[in-house]
Amino acid sequence: MCGINGIVAYHSSSSPPEETELLATRDAMRARGPDGSGAWWSMDRRCGLGHRRLSIIDLSDRASQPMTSEDGRSVVVFNGEIYNYPELRVELEADGSRFRTTSDTEALLHLYARHGTEMVHKLRGMFAFAIWDDARRGLFLARDPYGIKPLYTANDGWTFRFASQVKALLAGGHVSRDPEPAGTVGFYLFGNVPEPFTLYRDVRALPAGHTQWVDAAGPREPKPFANLAEVLAKGAANPAPAAEIPERVHAGVLDSVRAHLLADVEVGIFLSAGVDSGALLGCMRDAGQREIRAITLAFDEFRGTSEDEAPLAARVCKHYGARHIVRRLSKQEFFDDLPAILEAMDQPSIDGVNTWFVSKAAKEAGLKVAISGLGGDELLGGYPSFVDLPRWRRWFGPLAAVPGLGLFARTLIGGVAPGLLRTRPKALGVLEHSGTWAGTYLLRRGLFLPHELPEVMDAEIVREGLRRLKPLRRLAASLTPDPSSDVARVCVLESANYLRNQLLRDADWVGMAHSLEIRVPLVDFTLLRALAHVIPTLTPGAGKAALAKASTTPLPDEIVTRAKTGFNVPTGEWMNAAVARGSDPVGDAPEAKGLVSRRWSRAVLNGMVSANAQR
């Protein structure tokens, strides 16, 4: 895991890049790579590449980056892991390639020499990389299918820049900080900034599952090479019997866990009392890892309640023979760390606090790699949205299709019962948004709805932001081609939006703030293809029940039947204290958690602005 950056002065009239900018951008990502740093320049100084290293595979200096091919034609900077590297190496060596290291980075150079830009179809892993092709005088960039690893770009019409973090690009001093209304509006809608937007107009994310080419003609439009909806659409065309779900989940998950254990350092695990992380712990044991350290957060506020993860997590550790590390967290530590959280946050998010503290605990334990159960709910139908979205579509969809009815109902109800605006703000949007899958998903996951935004933001920013973001069109695009079943549609909506733009992004910036690589075996394109034929046949609970039995030693029943709570910290109470200080209490309102998140979103954005101003 690393931080990468680069500058290409592609226009013939542009000035050569400054070394101070390249190094400033690189070293703004020091936490991403505390084990080493490097820089490379082309002979004409028109292209510069930078790298910060967190050494995981091949710990020697020979694996340092930027890494140049043996013939000098290509240079790569790489962030992530290629989990099928051992198989690729065998294939490449049989084809005549000679390796100088045991790193997966070098495999990228050999693959590019053999297959060019089509190399991405051979990769299994989480990755964002850039390869300078000296013969073609061009730069090739790629990002993994799920978007686990970030890659941000900026183009001013003369010079192209890229980095693993938005803040790193800004630290170089040559990227405009002009605000992007679509990013701000997107944050208030979803609690995250939907890619490809950021908070800055001139900074964009390379979309997940895309490549991009930059040469003297400038940056080309990003090209897709992987599509979650397409994989599930193909699976739905040939669905497997429901009886095959347990065996396919067992085989696919075990294969993914085995691949994700590739490392030359110890691999630990974040352990809650839920199915996802518990099943992965069992599969780690099945995959042959003998010594496993599992990290669990515990809180005095949860002691003796169903929210307390520690007691059941301890039983899971005993069940699989793992060493259990319980890290207790206090409210005071939350407040003490809050400035550092906002400083490290690369783009605003209403989540990530839980991951911050468990990553902090992992670093304290001396770990550099940890397995996380992220993605299990999206893949195997674990969220309430898998039931709610189809039901809302059936109940309210026909009424929402009547032109003007939703707006009329919202206006009427808002006038008759204005209290609903506070206690159930989404209730007024049901008939307005449930006519499409995109609208229903916005209703389910939205922090605010579009009609509410003028109450919390400048109206002109709202108008311009919605015009540029086009949130419903963007959500609908993630369902192209149509995955063909309700389960698959929700799987894609959750994976391509909530998982990608919030959970995975949070795992990246939080893990990297602690120089920790977080691996997610349940977020794996190969696993998605393996399960694509059974996902359309999943019924509520069936996917997670199969996951609980993925290990040869199934999870205890008390874990499987436990009510879902997530990997939580008592942020409801703490965030209330942080942003309300006793005013505007939420009380016992039905949507209390959502209302806390609304206030927290404003605090996060204000806190990030304040933290950035001090940089």
Side-chain angles (χ1 to χ4, degrees), residues 341-420:
I341 292 172
L342 295 173
E343 171 70 20
M345 190 178 287
D346 195 45
Q347 292 198 75
S349 169
I350 62 167
D351 207 344
V353 174
N354 50 354
T355 311
W356 173 273
F357 287 107
V358 75
S359 296
K360 181 180 180 181
K363 182 178 182 179
E364 292 169 347
L367 291 171
K368 295 177 75 171
V369 180
I371 295 290
S372 167
L374 284 182
D377 289 317
E378 290 84 356
L379 182 69
L380 296 170
Y383 287 136
S385 57
F386 283 86
V387 174
D388 291 344
L389 264 64
R391 183 167 54 198
W392 294 354
R393 292 278 292 119
R394 290 194 303 271
W395 288 358
F396 306 114
L399 291 174
V402 178
L405 180 59
L407 177 60
F408 173 77
R410 171 161 58 85
T411 303
L412 178 63
I413 297 173
V416 174
L420 284 176

Side-chain angles (χ1 to χ4, degrees), residues 26-277:
R26 183 196 70 184
D27 293 337
M29 301 182 288
R30 186 181 301 274
R32 298 185 74 92
D35 296 335
S37 62
W40 172 91
W41 289 95
S42 61
M43 289 293 291
D44 60 4
R45 303 283 293 190
R46 306 289 291 180
C47 175
L49 302 177
H51 187 262
R52 295 288 323 188
R53 186 183 185 199
L54 180 66
S55 51
I56 303 296
I57 297 176
D58 192 341
L59 310 184
S60 68
D61 289 342
R62 65 188 178 184
S64 296
Q65 299 180 46
M67 183 181 289
T68 305
S69 62
E70 193 170 25
D71 61 8
R73 169 175 169 160
S74 302
V75 186
V76 65
V77 284
F78 165 48
N79 171 31
E81 305 291 352
I82 305 302
Y83 298 123
N84 63 336
Y85 154 69
E87 296 89 343
L88 290 173
R89 176 166 181 151
V90 170
E91 175 186 319
L92 288 163
E93 288 181 326
D95 199 29
S97 296
R98 294 188 305 170
F99 279 74
R100 299 164 290 164
T101 74
T102 57
S103 73
D104 52 346
T105 304
E106 189 178 2
L108 297 177
L109 290 170
H110 290 295
L111 280 171
Y112 184 75
R114 294 289 188 278
H115 304 287
T117 60
E118 293 301 303
M119 64 178 288
V120 289
H121 297 289
K122 289 185 168 289
L123 301 177
R124 178 182 192 176
M126 53 180 183
F127 56 83
F129 63 82
I131 296 177
W132 173 256
D133 186 328
D134 202 56
R136 297 179 61 190
R137 307 300 297 165
L139 185 75
F140 174 62
L141 302 101
R143 187 171 174 223
D144 68 75
Y146 270 97
I148 303 170
K149 293 293 99 190
L151 190 58
Y152 298 100
T153 67
N155 173 39
D156 61 10
W158 302 80
T159 301
F160 179 86
R161 298 169 170 88
F162 70 89
S164 297
Q165 292 181 205
V166 173
K167 289 183 177 180
L169 282 173
L170 299 177
H174 290 273
V175 174
S176 171
R177 293 173 178 260
D178 288 347
E180 170 55 81
T184 306
V185 165
F187 173 63
Y188 275 107
L189 285 178
F190 298 106
N192 58 68
V193 180
E195 69 172 39
F197 295 103
T198 70
L199 288 184
Y200 306 96
R201 191 179 290 265
D202 287 355
V203 181
R204 289 285 183 269
L206 178 65
H210 281 65
T211 63
Q212 189 170 21
W213 178 259
V214 184
D215 59 17
R220 307 297 197 277
E221 282 298 310
K223 293 175 54 178
F225 69 88
N227 184 319
L228 307 185
E230 183 178 16
V231 170
L232 289 174
K234 290 179 179 177
N238 185 26
E244 294 184 11
I245 292 174
E247 180 52 38
R248 292 200 182 213
V249 170
H250 164 75
V253 172
L254 180 58
D255 172 68
S256 185
V257 169
R258 184 178 290 113
H260 282 70
L261 293 180
L262 178 69
D264 291 330
V265 297
E266 179 186 357
V267 179
I269 187 171
F270 298 160
L271 185 68
S272 71
V275 169
D276 299 340
S277 58

Side-chain angles (χ1 to χ4, degrees), residues 228-230 232-234 236 478-485 488-489 492 536:
L228 307 185
E230 183 178 16
L232 289 174
K234 290 179 179 177
S478 63
L479 289 176
T480 304
D482 183 9
S484 302
S485 74
R489 291 184 186 107
V492 172

